[in-house]
Amino acid sequence: MTQKEKILFKSLCSFKQEKFDETLLDFATPAVLGKLFFNRMQSVAYGVLEKHGLLGKVNREFKNSLKAAYKQNLEKNKSFFNCIEQLEDALAGCNCRYAMLKGAYLCRLYPMGYRTSNDIDLLVHPKDVTEVGKALSAAGFKQGNVRNDEFEAATRKEIIESKMMRGETVPYIKEVNLPGIKFLEVDINFSLDYKHGDANLIEEMLNNASLVEIGDFKVCTLRLDDFFIHLCSHLYKEATTLPWIEMKRDMTLYKYADIYMLLNNADEYYVDFLFDRATKLGMEKMCAFAIIQTAQLFEFENLYATRIASKVLGYDYTFINKVISPKDKKELIFTEPNVLERFFADDRKKMLKEVNNFEKT
C-alpha cells in the first residue's frame, strides 16, 4: 500500500475523530477496501464516511461493499444478543461466578453494527470449569470446532491439550441457526496468559464482576477497569506469541479498536486509576504495550495515556517488540520497531530474529 492509502485506512478506522480529510478519498483503492475487511473494520469505515457525509464521494463498489457489510453486521448483532440470552439461561443454575468478556459487552457499547463477535468468552475460576462445562453440555453444547461450516467433535487429546497449553477449554458449540450465526461458540477461559494463570487474580476479578446495563441490554461482566485490563492482556498474549503471528492474526485491528474506543477520550484520573489497578494486578506492562501500539495504529488523542504507558516501560520500547515461542521456549524480537509499518507488512514473521531462551514477563 502507498503512504496515502495507509493514511486513509487509518483515518477510516479512527471513528472517534471529529474531522476527516476529504482529499484522502482519492486513495480509496481495492487495497484499502481489502485491508478494512481483513481487519474487521469495514463497518466502522462505513460509519465514518456516513458521519462525515462522504458516502457519495467514494467509488460505488467501495461504498456498496461497506454498506452491505454494515447491514450484515446489524443482523448478526441481533442474533448475537439472542445468543447471550441463551447462554445466560444455560448458566442460570450454576453456583459459581462467571464474567462475559470482550464482544459480549463491547458489541453493544460500540455504535450498532461497528463490532461483531463470532463467539462468547467466559472467564471462570479454574475450580469451576467442570461445573460450567456440565451446564453447557446439559443445554445441548458439545466440545469441538466448526470447520467448513460443519461441527467436528473434539478428541480427548485435544480437550486435555487445550486445558494444559492454552488456559482455555476446547470451545463448547451449539447449532442455533440464527441469521448470520449458524453455531453459537462459547470459550471458557480460566487463565489470563497462554499458560495457566494466577487463580487468585482471576478470583479477585470475578469478585468484582457485576451485571452491567447498556440501554435495555444487560450482561454480566467484569468491572470496567478489570475489563479493560483483561482486554490488554488478551491482546498482548496474541500479539506476542509466535503461532498467532504465523496465522497472521496477531494484529487484527478490531482488537486494538477496543482499546481505542475505551481510552481515547478518558480523563487523566481514569488513566491513573487504570494503571494503579493494573500495577496491583501485576499487569501494568501489558496495558502499556496495548496503549502504545494502539496510539500508533489510530489517530489517538489521549496523549496522557501514552505518556504514562511510556513511563511504565521506563521509556524502553524493547518490551513492545518482543515475541515468544512457547513450543520451543525461544524469544524473538522484531527488527522493525515501527508498529504501524509492522502492521502493514505482508509477512511479519520475516521481521523476527531470535534472541535467546525466555521467561515470560
Side-chain angles (χ1 to χ4, degrees), residues 97 123-129 167 189-193 195-208 222 277 281 283:
R97 298 185 70 86
L123 181 66
V124 304
H125 194 280
K127 66 180 175 58
D128 295 323
V129 172
N189 298 264
F190 52 90
S191 170
L192 300 174
D193 205 340
K195 56 188 179 224
H196 285 287
D198 185 340
N200 293 330
L201 172 56
I202 292 174
E203 183 173 11
E204 182 179 349
M205 284 185 161
L206 290 173
N207 285 339
N208 291 324
L222 299 176
R277 174 65 172 160
L281 298 175
M283 302 171 74

Side-chain angles (χ1 to χ4, degrees), residues 12-30:
L12 287 172
C13 295
S14 299
F15 58 93
K16 291 283 188 177
Q17 288 291 103
E18 293 302 321
K19 296 181 180 180
F20 190 95
D21 183 359
E22 185 178 332
T23 63
L24 290 171
L25 296 180
D26 291 339
F27 305 94
T29 63

Side-chain angles (χ1 to χ4, degrees), residues 176-290:
V176 292
N177 289 312
L178 294 170
I181 300 179
K182 181 178 179 180
F183 295 97
L184 168 54
E185 178 178 323
V186 178
D187 293 321
I188 302 176
N189 298 264
F190 52 90
S191 170
L192 300 174
D193 205 340
Y194 69 93
K195 56 188 179 224
H196 285 287
D198 185 340
N200 293 330
L201 172 56
I202 292 174
E203 183 173 11
E204 182 179 349
M205 284 185 161
L206 290 173
N207 285 339
N208 291 324
S210 62
L211 194 65
V212 178
E213 296 185 22
I214 312 173
D216 59 350
F217 183 72
K218 298 179 181 179
V219 62
C220 182
T221 191
L222 299 176
R223 196 174 67 188
L224 186 55
D225 55 325
D226 284 347
F227 184 90
F228 179 85
I229 292 167
H230 173 267
L231 273 181
C232 291
S233 71
H234 193 82
L235 185 154
Y236 172 76
K237 177 185 74 173
E238 294 182 351
T240 62
T241 307
L242 184 60
W244 287 86
I245 296 170
E246 292 173 332
M247 292 186 290
K248 298 186 178 181
R249 294 174 59 191
D250 55 311
M251 292 186 76
T252 314
L253 198 65
Y254 79 94
K255 294 178 286 191
Y256 290 90
D258 296 341
I259 309 300
Y260 168 70
M261 180 189 67
L262 292 171
L263 202 62
N264 186 69
N265 301 118
D267 60 28
E268 294 183 6
Y269 173 83
Y270 185 65
V271 172
D272 288 338
F273 178 75
L274 277 176
F275 272 105
D276 181 61
R277 174 65 172 160
T279 300
K280 290 177 181 177
L281 298 175
M283 302 171 74
E284 70 277 12
K285 283 191 172 183
M286 296 180 186
C287 290
F289 175 99

Side-chain angles (χ1 to χ4, degrees), residues 277-303:
R277 174 65 172 160
T279 300
K280 290 177 181 177
L281 298 175
M283 302 171 74
E284 70 277 12
K285 283 191 172 183
M286 296 180 186
C287 290
F289 175 99
I291 291 168
I292 289 172
Q293 290 210 347
T294 298
Q296 293 190 41
L297 295 170
F298 290 85
E299 300 296 343
F300 192 67
E301 295 180 342
N302 199 326
L303 300 181

